[in-house]
Amino acid sequence: MTAHRSRTTRSGRLPALFTGVLVGVSAVGCSPSPADTVPTPPASARLADVGTAGAEGIGDTDFPKDGNGGYDVKHYSLRLDYDPERVHLTGEATIRALALQNLSRFNLDLSGFDVRKVTVDNVEASFDRAGTELIVTPKSLLKNSAEFTVKVDYKGRPQPVRNSSNLGTYGFIPTKDGAFVTCQPNGAKTWFPGNDHPSDKATFDFTISVPRGLTALANGEMEGAPRTEGNKTVFTWRERHPMATYLATMTLGKFETLTGKTKSGIPNIAAVDPAYRDDLQRLHRVNGQITDYWTTVFGPYPFSSTGAVVDDFDAGYALENQTKPMYGGFSPDEGIVAHELAHQWFGNSVSIARWKDLWLNEGFATYSEWLWSEHRGKGTAQELFDSAYKAQDEKSPIWSYPPGKARAKDLFNTSVYVRGAMTLHALRKKVGDRTFFDLLKTWAHDHRYGSVSTEQFIELAERMSSLQLDDLFGEWLYGTRKPKPLTR
Ligand code: ARG
Ligand code: ZN
């Protein structure tokens, strides 16, 4: 799916590694060697005939190699087999994409694994590896605007990302009975090849086989009942709404599941590791209540089911995996369930096109915790704002880290969450409840399944309130000093 920002212009800037436009495309009949005896066609004609290499990154300056240029993925079809005993994953990824330029070659992101074979439109393609880039050279040029299908066969031992800064461990994390799979920001490449950046969303289907007795949980809903084939069980899941790669999951292990519907009729799927058996009923109920409540505040639920997964792997965090938030090694309280479910609107349906804008996800989800507290008759959003404001004195690092510019090395800084939420509260006080809650719904509606930037949010807030909000956002999102107390 195409992101809001045009990628065709960005892929025009080819990184150094890819400046050799003609390398490897001699088959097209235009020799890369300086064959001075043959008249060289004009450069423009040459480019049209042979195409250029897709960029090795999608253009997120803070994560220069994440994602790739030159194409837009429409659909991922993943066939996966996992053997927990051998810690071995066998994968067959079929990716349908649209060329955004004449492509002589393009990259996929994939970390580790032994790649056995790559085909493009059913014709074997040559490929190379460079770090986490899988470089694919199709036999023939892919024309701008043409759809193509790339298939990658791979296998090996999945290796999660172990990040030394505050990202922790993420990606495909083998556990004692299966795997815990949470990929924010760029860990999808640890289990399937793709365009691993949230600005390229796509639909997914998963066919996952695991040893009999284990459960495979992925996004969306199951297609039919699990099938047993010999000593394996095969689960088929489908996510029919566009999804960022970091929200995809294939969580595996022993699980007890509870399926039903929320009061308003949304399918609701909860699954817990047997260690959390006693929490299953409560989690399922609370998850349904909160999902329903958010539909009254943010507008219609964007996906076809809601859910929650608790594994006994101690990740130290939760992640808003699309339709199935994942809780790593703890039974979540209402606050965190409210947070992860708010992400289904803010982050998952309305996605950021660059990581710098992460407050649009985390500030909104944290503010939603305050809204839930208020709804439950506990602390009001005002009280929670006041206590956060008071708790952080002038010297607190929250004030020197502007949440409107999330940093690659410290993406999940408290400022992005708490000061992001405070920004929304400051906005609410300034524009009034009516406009503020209208704004949340309009934002979720206008950008449903799309990609956004902070600039667009500010523009919408100014339009809907008819106020000049530069000072407010300047101070709260971009300033490096503690803002003055809100006037009421
Ligand atoms: N987005 C998650 C949340 O706010 C946090 C993810 C943390 N990810 C990580 N790799 N540490 O719930
Ligand atoms: Zn969050």
Side-chain angles (χ1 to χ4, degrees), residues 166-170 184-185 317-320 339-340 343 362 412 417:
N166 72 355
L167 304 185
T169 300
Y170 62 94
Q184 196 183 26
Y317 61 81
L319 182 66
E320 62 266 24
H339 178 115
E340 305 310 333
H343 275 310
E362 301 307 344
F412 301 107
Y417 286 71

Side-chain angles (χ1 to χ4, degrees), residues 290-342:
I290 299 177
T291 303
D292 279 348
Y293 180 62
W294 287 153
T295 68
T296 71
V297 183
F298 308 142
Y301 186 67
F303 307 122
S304 36
S305 61
T306 181
V309 177
V310 183
D311 201 357
D312 73 339
F313 171 77
D314 186 16
Y317 61 81
L319 182 66
E320 62 266 24
N321 286 341
Q322 191 152 310
T323 68
K324 279 178 200 64
M326 174 100 131
Y327 304 94
F330 60 94
S331 179
D333 62 21
E334 290 184 13
I336 192 159
V337 173
H339 178 115
E340 305 310 333
L341 288 175

Side-chain angles (χ1 to χ4, degrees), residues 125-400:
S126 60
F127 61 89
D128 249 310
R129 308 292 304 269
T132 60
E133 300 290 326
L134 168 63
I135 305 156
V136 178
T137 307
K139 263 258 157 52
S140 47
L141 166 79
L142 298 170
K143 284 277 190 203
N144 187 13
S145 302
E147 240 184 50
F148 62 98
T149 301
V150 48
K151 200 169 137 192
V152 181
D153 287 355
Y154 58 103
K155 59 181 193 172
R157 188 188 185 91
Q159 303 276 353
V161 184
R162 284 175 223 281
N163 191 289
S164 50
S165 59
N166 72 355
L167 304 185
T169 300
Y170 62 94
F172 186 108
I173 308 170
T175 59
K176 53 183 192 292
D177 62 351
F180 182 91
V181 182
T182 46
C183 300
Q184 196 183 26
N186 50 16
K189 61 172 68 64
T190 67
W191 61 285
F192 66 93
N195 202 12
D196 197 7
H197 189 274
S199 58
D200 187 1
K201 303 204 282 184
T203 51
F204 281 72
D205 66 69
F206 309 84
T207 303
I208 307 169
S209 94
V210 287
R212 216 172 153 154
L214 297 190
T215 298
L217 299 161
N219 311 88
E221 302 80 49
M222 267 209 267
E223 299 263 283
R227 302 189 305 274
T228 298
E229 290 175 2
N231 54 2
K232 297 258 180 176
T233 310
V234 183
F235 293 79
T236 307
W237 292 89
R238 178 178 293 274
E239 172 53 58
R240 47 188 87 243
H241 296 100
M243 175 164 75
T245 49
Y246 77 87
L247 298 168
T249 190
M250 60 170 294
T251 293
L252 315 174
K254 293 205 175 73
F255 283 101
E256 302 202 356
T257 61
L258 186 55
T259 304
K261 284 193 170 175
T262 71
K263 275 223 171 73
S264 80
I266 302 165
N268 182 15
I269 307 164
V272 298
D273 184 282
Y276 295 90
R277 177 178 292 146
D278 296 346
D279 295 314
L280 182 57
Q281 295 277 351
R282 178 200 65 93
L283 179 62
H284 187 258
R285 187 182 63 247
V286 165
N287 195 70
Q289 283 166 352
I290 299 177
T291 303
D292 279 348
Y293 180 62
W294 287 153
T295 68
T296 71
V297 183
F298 308 142
Y301 186 67
F303 307 122
S304 36
S305 61
T306 181
V309 177
V310 183
D311 201 357
D312 73 339
F313 171 77
D314 186 16
Y317 61 81
L319 182 66
E320 62 266 24
N321 286 341
Q322 191 152 310
T323 68
K324 279 178 200 64
M326 174 100 131
Y327 304 94
F330 60 94
S331 179
D333 62 21
E334 290 184 13
I336 192 159
V337 173
H339 178 115
E340 305 310 333
L341 288 175
H343 275 310
Q344 304 306 311
W345 283 260
F346 306 113
N348 300 9
S349 167
V350 179
S351 299
I352 53 176
R354 49 177 201 219
W355 288 111
K356 210 192 268 315
D357 290 325
L358 187 62
W359 85 279
L360 289 173
N361 298 4
E362 301 307 344
F364 280 57
T366 303
Y367 195 61
S368 301
E369 293 178 46
W370 299 359
L371 293 176
W372 179 255
S373 164
E374 180 164 331
H375 171 67
R376 296 284 275 147
K378 301 188 178 157
T380 63
Q382 181 67 51
E383 285 162 356
L384 293 165
F385 172 92
D386 287 341
S387 79
Y389 185 84
K390 209 180 311 143
Q392 313 288 339
D393 70 13
E394 279 70 14
K395 290 196 194 73
S396 161
I398 203 177
W399 306 123
S400 57

